[in-house]
């Protein structure tokens, strides 16, 4: 309890208000805790990281790494982040400048708080190992992109952490061996800086261990670009070139290493291998390559881990920077090498454009749509085939039914047909009797005999005609559509009905005015239409006075078609029932089957026509059939 609250409590006790005093003291204590807490909240300090590079700070590897470091720290930490880049460019700053550099840095960071120093490359490792205690005494140091051999040769201070980095020249050689199985010569291109030499030595050592595979190994150190290009132009596919990086040539000219790749590749007849993905993007065929962005991300992750642990760096070792098989497909194809020879997990860059690769999703969707469409079309075709088969079967059934109905019709007409055939046969018999008498009387009158024979012949032909017509109507044959003269077809059908009409005292009036008009149809089926309508007409006139019984067969030419009608003076048709008459099995007759009109309608519709019934003046009924004219 604070001194003030104690005094308040004592005074309150004295005034006798004990409860109120305790309450007031409580409120005061809470207030004083609040004030103390508020005074301890200060604006958050920014996290300050120094990126100390042993390379040219404008080199893509350093730019990528500093970018990744900045953005990773900014997105992962609550405080604001300041990344300061300082360079000890090894290829520019000779060792004798180091004391001056140290003095400058000490001054610069004397009053500045730094949370972490990230050193890049062996030069930064060397500098921080020697001087960090003087420049940033209490600051943790993280080293990255320092080759493992350097670390093995130098003892790091205890509070240093590092991200292991082992240049994978063996893996790059594996890739060259796979892509160029017949190559036996290896050329290692490098510059003259310490880093260039160290890199070249690593590759030479690895190649030396594979002497049987690479019996000829040459090191091209510090060649000026033009000379390098000229020498590369003399090589062929029996040589593999590994580019170790050239920062400076033997004449002291300085290069940004990756920028030499494109001119080297343009000149070289042998494939050039690289150790960084940027080299492969520039035209090197392949290599076990480090990617600067990836290195940046892993280094940033390590930096974050140290910052989050309150700056604990002490000897920590983070996941190593990975070298990944990376290949430039266009360059591999340019040299006629096989992409298939690469390891399965190789990252393929510069792939030739492929519709399927670029629009994979759209192409897959399109493919699915095409498959679905194909399936729909197949289903529709199958459906159409089934429907056609069903239609063909229906036509066959209909024609069988029609034929059965024709037998029934002929049955109905049998009495008159018998009479029609019997009449000429009777006449033939009478004529034969007369001729016999003439012969027996030995009075052969040749002229008379000729006349008798002519009559016999005519009657025989008449009887034969009736039989032929019946045969044609009843014979079993398929439906055959041909161009027919309509009036002649109607007339022919009428001859089969006329004897029956005579028998029933019905007059037949024929008004055929569609002479020479042709329709496309089946002769027998069209005659069946006329027969069915005419027999119905005659049936309808059963109760009509014999003197009024008249059956009219009429045809008339219309613009696009032709119409024929069968009219009677019979019982008439109830308008409400007109459509029902055409339904199968609808009949009002005692022995009717109710199939005549339904057969008429199906035949007419199969001929692309239509049939209707109409009441005429004076109780007459007309069945009208419209048919399209045949076009030639
Ligand atoms: P069915 O002759 O065996 O009865 P149809 O299908 O030929 O079968 O005729 C169906 C019905 O239509 C007949 O029973 C009859 O009632 C009616 N009908 C047909 N033609 C005529 C007509 N010309 N006048 C009046 N009614 C008719």
């Amino acid at each position: 309890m604070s001194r003030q609250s104690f005094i308040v409590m004592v005074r309150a006790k004295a005034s006798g208000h004990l409860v109120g005093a305790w309450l007031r003291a409580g409120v005061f204590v809470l207030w004083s805790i609040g004030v103390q807490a508020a005074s301890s909240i200060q604006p958050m300090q920014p996290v300050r990281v120094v990126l100390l590079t042993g390379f040219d700070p404008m080199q893509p590897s350093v730019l990528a790494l500093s970018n990744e470091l900045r953005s990773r720290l900014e997105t992962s930490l609550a405080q604001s982040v300041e990344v300061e880049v300082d360079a000890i460019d090894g290829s520019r700053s000779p060792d004798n400048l180091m004391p001056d550099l140290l003095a400058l840095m000490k001054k610069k960071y004397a009053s500045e708080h730094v949370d972490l120093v990230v050193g890049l490359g062996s030069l930064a490792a060397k500098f921080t190992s020697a001087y960090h205690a003087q420049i940033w005494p209490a600051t943790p140091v993280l080293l990255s992109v320092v080759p493992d051999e350097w670390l093995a040769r130098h003892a790091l201070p205890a509070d240093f952490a590092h991200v292991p980095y082992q240049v994978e020249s063996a893996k790059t050689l594996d890739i060259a061996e796979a892509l160029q199985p017949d190559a036996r010569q290896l050329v290692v291109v490098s510059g003259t800086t310490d880093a260039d030499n160290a890199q070249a030595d690593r590759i030479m050592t690895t190649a030396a261990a594979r002497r049987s595979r690479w019996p000829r190994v040459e090191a091209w150190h510090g060649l000026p670009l033009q000379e390098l290009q000229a020498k590369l132009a003399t090589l062929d596919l029996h040589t593999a070139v590994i580019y170790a990086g050239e920062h400076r040539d033997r004449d002291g000219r300085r290069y940004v290493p990756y920028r030499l790749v494109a001119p080297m590749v343009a000149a070289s007849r042998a494939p050039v291998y690289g150790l960084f993905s940027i080299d492969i993007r520039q035209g090197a065929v392949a290599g076990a390559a480090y990617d600067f962005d990836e290195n940046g991300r892993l280094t940033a992750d390590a930096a974050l881990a140290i910052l989050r642990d309150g700056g604990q760096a002490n000897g920590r070792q983070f996941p190593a920077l990975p070298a990944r098989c990376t290949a430039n497909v266009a360059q591999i194809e340019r040299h006629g090498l096989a992409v298939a020879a690469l390891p399965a997990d190789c990252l393929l860059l510069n792939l030739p454009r492929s519709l399927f690769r670029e629009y994979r999703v759209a192409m897959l969707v399109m493919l699915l749509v095409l498959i679905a469409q194909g399936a729909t079309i197949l289903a529709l075709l199958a459906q159409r085939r089934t429907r056609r088969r069903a239609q063909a079967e229906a036509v066959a059934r209909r024609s069988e039914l029609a034929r059965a109905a024709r037998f029934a019709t002929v049955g109905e007409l049998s009495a008159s047909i018998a009479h029609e055939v019997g009449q000429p046969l009777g006449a033939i018999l009478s004529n034969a009797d007369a001729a016999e008498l003439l012969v027996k009387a030995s009075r052969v009158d040749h002229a008379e005999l000729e006349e008798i024979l002519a009559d016999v012949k005519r009657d025989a032909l008449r009887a034969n005609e009736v039989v032929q017509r019946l045969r044609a109507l009843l014979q079993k044959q398929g439906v055959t559509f041909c161009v027919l003269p309509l009036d002649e077809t109607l007339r022919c059908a009428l001859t089969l009905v006329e004897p029956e009409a005579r028998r029933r005292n019905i007059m037949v009036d024929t008004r055929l005015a569609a002479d020479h008009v042709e329709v496309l149809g089946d002769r027998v089926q069209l005659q069946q239409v006329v027969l069915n309508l005419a027999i119905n007409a005659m049936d309808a006139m059963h109760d009509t006075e014999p003197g009024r019984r008249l059956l009219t067969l009429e045809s008339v030419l219309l613009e696009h078609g032709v119409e024929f009608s069968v009219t009677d003076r019979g019982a008439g048709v109830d308008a409400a029932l007109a459509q029902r008459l055409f339904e199968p099995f609808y009949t009002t007759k005692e022995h009717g089957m109710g199939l005549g009109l339904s057969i008429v309608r199906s035949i007419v519709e199969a001929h692309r026509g239509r049939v209707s019934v109409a009441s005429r003046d004076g109780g007459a009924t007309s069945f009208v059939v419209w048919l399209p004219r045949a076009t030639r």
Side-chain angles (χ1 to χ4, degrees):
M1 189 183 295
S2 69
R3 198 167 54 86
Q4 290 96 322
S5 58
F6 183 70
I7 294 165
V8 169
M9 204 181 84
V10 171
R11 281 193 190 148
K13 245 184 186 172
S15 63
H17 299 292
L18 192 58
V19 178
W22 273 107
L23 267 176
R24 272 196 297 277
V27 169
F28 181 80
V29 167
L30 283 175
W31 173 79
S32 60
I33 288 170
V35 167
Q36 276 167 18
S39 64
S40 72
I41 296 174
Q42 287 160 359
M44 272 212 264
Q45 290 294 316
V47 172
R48 193 167 291 125
V49 176
V50 172
L51 184 65
L52 184 68
T53 157
F55 311 108
D56 174 351
M58 295 310 285
Q59 216 169 275
S61 57
V62 181
L63 290 176
L65 205 136
S66 57
N67 272 339
E68 280 297 331
L69 194 65
R70 265 199 188 90
S71 56
R72 280 251 155 160
L73 296 185
E74 275 168 4
T75 50
S76 312
L77 295 174
Q79 302 99 308
S80 64
V81 176
E82 287 175 9
V83 176
E84 187 158 338
V85 180
D86 253 315
I88 344 154
D89 185 352
S91 57
R92 277 171 187 265
S93 313
D95 275 354
N96 60 9
L97 286 183
M98 286 304 156
D100 299 312
L101 203 57
L102 170 63
L104 175 70
M105 296 272 236
K106 272 170 78 175
K107 206 169 179 184
K108 184 173 172 188
Y109 291 103
S111 57
E112 211 174 90
H113 169 80
V114 174
D115 294 285
L116 179 68
V117 174
V118 178
L120 297 183
S122 38
L123 203 65
K126 195 171 147 192
F127 185 85
T128 46
S129 301
Y131 306 125
H132 91 286
Q134 296 176 53
I135 309 169
W136 309 283
T139 306
V141 177
L142 170 69
L143 296 178
S144 186
V145 206
V146 181
D148 282 354
E149 312 95 75
W150 190 94
L151 291 170
R153 277 187 275 115
H154 299 82
L156 289 180
D159 52 349
F160 276 36
H162 80 278
V163 180
Y165 172 58
Q166 188 185 21
V167 179
E168 298 277 12
S169 48
K171 278 191 190 166
T172 300
L173 270 186
D174 290 344
I175 294 168
E177 286 166 14
L179 279 179
Q180 290 178 268
D182 299 329
R184 291 289 174 270
Q185 169 160 298
L186 194 69
V187 169
V188 181
V189 175
S190 69
T192 56
T193 66
D194 290 349
D196 296 344
N197 288 331
Q199 192 81 301
D201 287 350
R202 271 180 220 118
I203 301 165
M204 298 294 284
T205 313
T206 316
R210 302 184 185 192
R211 202 177 302 279
S212 57
R213 177 64 179 78
W214 301 102
R216 292 186 302 284
V217 181
E218 283 184 26
W220 295 359
H221 271 302
L223 297 182
L225 178 59
Q226 277 189 348
E227 192 182 330
L228 178 60
Q229 283 182 304
K231 285 190 81 169
L232 285 169
T234 64
L235 302 177
D236 60 20
L237 280 178
H238 290 99
T239 303
V241 178
I242 298 193
Y243 178 53
E246 181 163 353
H247 285 85
R248 197 166 52 205
D249 67 17
R250 64 170 181 234
D251 301 335
R253 200 174 294 116
R254 290 162 47 80
Y255 303 108
V256 178
Y258 84 92
R259 300 196 62 190
L260 286 189
V261 174
M264 277 173 65
V265 166
S268 179
R269 312 257 304 269
V272 176
Y273 295 82
L275 304 175
F276 296 96
S277 65
I278 193 167
D279 297 342
I280 291 151
R281 283 178 211 282
Q282 290 295 309
V285 280
Y290 290 94
D291 184 77
F292 297 147
D293 292 336
E294 176 87 39
N295 288 356
R297 276 192 290 279
L298 286 170
T299 308
D301 285 346
L304 255 177
I306 294 172
L307 289 168
R308 281 191 173 135
D309 291 351
Q312 286 302 312
N314 300 346
R316 285 172 78 172
Q317 191 173 322
F318 291 95
L321 302 178
R324 182 172 176 195
C325 172
T326 311
N328 185 323
V329 175
Q331 288 296 331
I332 290 176
E333 285 175 357
R334 183 192 129 206
H335 287 290
L337 305 176
V339 178
L342 292 166
D345 61 348
C346 204
L347 177 68
L348 302 180
L349 306 177
N350 214 0
L351 288 165
R353 292 192 72 173
S354 142
L355 264 185
F356 189 75
R357 250 195 310 267
E358 286 177 33
Y359 302 102
R360 188 187 298 253
V361 175
M363 296 290 274
L364 281 176
V365 170
M366 235 164 73
L367 201 72
L368 284 178
V369 169
L370 282 179
I371 291 172
Q373 265 183 354
T376 313
I377 289 170
L378 281 180
L380 286 175
L381 282 177
Q383 207 181 40
R384 197 174 74 160
R385 239 181 66 186
T386 319
R387 201 175 53 231
R388 288 208 165 157
R389 203 176 296 152
Q391 275 172 347
E393 250 168 53
V395 167
R397 295 282 158 276
R398 207 167 47 217
S399 87
E400 270 170 33
L401 180 69
R403 184 160 175 265
R406 285 199 292 278
F407 273 93
T409 308
V410 170
E412 276 186 56
L413 299 177
S414 58
S416 56
I417 290 170
H419 182 253
E420 189 72 355
V421 180
Q423 229 184 13
L425 289 180
I428 288 169
L429 202 60
S430 314
N431 278 319
D433 285 346
E436 194 181 26
L437 283 175
L438 277 178
V439 172
K440 275 187 182 162
S442 307
R443 188 178 58 84
V444 179
D445 180 342
H446 281 275
E448 201 174 349
L449 211 55
E450 263 176 35
E451 206 178 305
I452 289 171
L453 284 174
D455 284 352
V456 166
K457 209 168 149 186
R458 191 198 61 228
D459 289 333
L461 281 174
R462 212 178 112 197
N464 185 48
E465 213 174 286
V466 177
V467 172
Q468 287 307 324
R469 254 184 266 131
L470 275 177
R471 238 179 64 177
L473 194 68
L474 298 178
Q475 76 186 352
K476 188 177 172 76
Q477 60 177 19
V479 179
T480 44
F481 274 57
C482 54
V483 176
L484 302 169
L486 181 72
D487 281 357
E488 192 192 309
T489 311
L490 298 180
R491 217 173 272 123
C492 184
L494 201 63
T495 52
L496 286 165
V497 193
E498 272 170 337
E500 180 68 12
R502 275 198 296 279
R503 197 176 70 81
R504 298 197 198 185
N505 292 322
I506 296 172
M507 297 226 317
V508 177
D509 185 11
T510 319
R511 300 180 192 176
L512 300 180
D515 219 4
H516 306 307
V517 174
E518 291 173 326
V519 292
L520 185 66
D522 179 89
R523 183 188 297 273
V524 173
Q525 286 202 341
L526 287 180
Q527 286 180 358
Q528 186 171 7
V529 169
V530 180
L531 277 182
N532 286 4
L533 295 178
I535 290 173
N536 275 347
M538 291 192 292
D539 288 349
M541 290 189 282
H542 183 265
D543 297 330
T544 308
E545 242 176 78
R548 283 195 69 240
R549 291 175 190 171
L550 176 68
L551 184 150
T552 310
L553 179 64
E554 206 171 349
S555 73
V556 38
L557 181 60
L558 300 176
E559 196 180 349
H560 296 294
V562 60
E563 215 171 63
F564 70 86
S565 59
V566 177
T567 309
D568 61 65
R569 288 180 176 168
V573 168
D574 185 348
L577 289 175
Q579 277 315 305
R580 286 205 62 198
L581 307 188
F582 295 95
E583 287 172 11
F585 308 111
Y586 175 82
T587 182
T588 56
K589 299 174 193 170
E590 196 179 339
H591 300 293
M593 286 200 296
L595 286 176
L597 286 179
S598 85
I599 287 173
V600 163
R601 185 167 68 176
S602 72
I603 290 176
V604 170
E605 284 174 356
H607 284 71
R608 293 193 297 120
R610 44 183 189 269
V611 57
S612 57
V613 60
S615 295
R616 299 267 185 259
D617 291 343
T621 304
S622 257
F623 281 82
V624 184
V625 175
W626 179 92
L627 290 176
R629 286 165 71 176
T631 47
R632 284 200 186 248

